[in-house]
């Protein structure tokens, strides 16, 4: 089954404790992206990657890191999480080329206390 | 002006009604437009792409108005199961593959 998976789905952590949210897709998509979704603010892009070893900042990259060592994986790293990073996070992927519909993972609900 | 704007609603409509949402975008050079559906706390799922000539998929019709820079989604014969948030998405300025999403329009279809 074609899908984007994320782990963990739910995470409660404390300020400053490094964490990684994994994202994996099995559709051979070149493009992958991370979003956060907050009430009243909608979906905002954190980072994206056009292909292996190619990453770039989105609209709200501060406090986040990513890497793209393999085509299928695009982990999101929070080196020192803070309470303002409490949010619902989505990973998405797509082919590169028109009309490049993006497919989303199920989401990770992160709470930083 | 925000890149992508939607009326947040909520739109409360009775079953069987026709409802339409608009979404305005600021980048006149945008080439790709989409409507996504998002159920509460779930991931957005592609509902339909929006083509220049307009397109229809069953009860759903999407249209693009380049002159006025908006896209629309029309839902005919609304079902209870259509209750969701509808997000429009437009490709970002200077970043062909990244999408800007609207904040979504909430639809509640009532019996």
């Amino acid at each position: 089954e074609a899908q984007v998976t994320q782990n963990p789905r739910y995470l409660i952590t404390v300020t400053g404790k490094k964490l990684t949210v994994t994202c994996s897709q099995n559709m051979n998509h070149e493009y992958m992206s991370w979003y956060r979704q907050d009430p009243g603010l909608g979906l905002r892009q954190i980072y994206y990657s056009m292909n292996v070893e190619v990453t770039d900042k989105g609209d709200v990259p501060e406090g986040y890191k990513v890497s793209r060592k393999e085509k299928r994986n695009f982990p999101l790293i929070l080196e020192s999480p803070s309470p303002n990073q409490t949010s619902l996070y989505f990973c998405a992927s797509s082919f590169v080329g028109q009309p490049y519909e993006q497919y989303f993972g199920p989401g990770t609900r992160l709470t930083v206390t | 002006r925000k890149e992508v704007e939607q009326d947040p609603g909520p739109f409360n409509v009775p079953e069987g009604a026709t409802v339409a949402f608009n979404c305005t975008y600021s980048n006149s050079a945008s080439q790709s437009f989409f409507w996504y559906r998002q159920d509460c706390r779930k991931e957005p799922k592609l509902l339909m792409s929006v083509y220049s000539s307009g397109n229809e998929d069953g009860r759903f019709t999407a249209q693009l108005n380049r002159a006025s820079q908006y896209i629309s989604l029309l839902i005919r014969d609304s079902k209870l199961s259509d209750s969701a948030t509808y997000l429009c998405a437009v490709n970002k300025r200077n970043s062909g593959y990244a999408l800007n999403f609207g904040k979504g329009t909430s639809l509640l279809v009532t019996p």
Side-chain angles (χ1 to χ4, degrees), chain B residues 4-33:
Chain B
V4 181
E5 291 196 77
Q6 295 181 252
D7 181 343
F11 284 61
N12 294 331
V13 302
E15 228 177 334
T18 295
V19 62
F21 312 132
N22 282 344
C23 168
T24 59
Y25 62 93
S26 61
N27 179 10
S28 60
S30 294
Q31 294 295 320
S32 297
F33 310 88

Side-chain angles (χ1 to χ4, degrees), chain A residues 48-113:
Chain A
Y48 64 94
S49 169
M50 296 291 288
N51 214 323
V52 176
E53 303 291 1
V54 181
T55 62
D56 210 344
K57 296 177 181 178
D59 300 312
V60 288
E62 294 77 20
Y64 305 94
K65 285 175 58 177
V66 292
S67 67
R68 187 92 181 270
K69 294 185 170 61
E70 303 166 285
K71 195 173 188 178
R72 62 182 293 131
N73 296 324
F74 190 44
L76 179 69
I77 303 155
L78 285 72
E79 295 269 2
S80 183
S82 62
N84 65 12
Q85 293 178 297
T86 293
S87 188
L88 178 58
Y89 291 86
F90 290 106
C91 180
S93 71
S94 74
F95 288 115
V96 172
Q98 296 274 357
Y100 47 90
E101 298 96 335
Q102 290 188 19
Y103 298 86
F104 283 79
T108 294
R109 186 163 293 278
L110 172 65
T111 302
V112 183
T113 62

Side-chain angles (χ1 to χ4, degrees), chain B residues 29-40:
Chain B
S30 294
Q31 294 295 320
S32 297
F33 310 88
F34 306 93
W35 282 103
Y36 281 78
R37 171 194 168 124
Q38 185 175 27
D39 294 295
C40 188

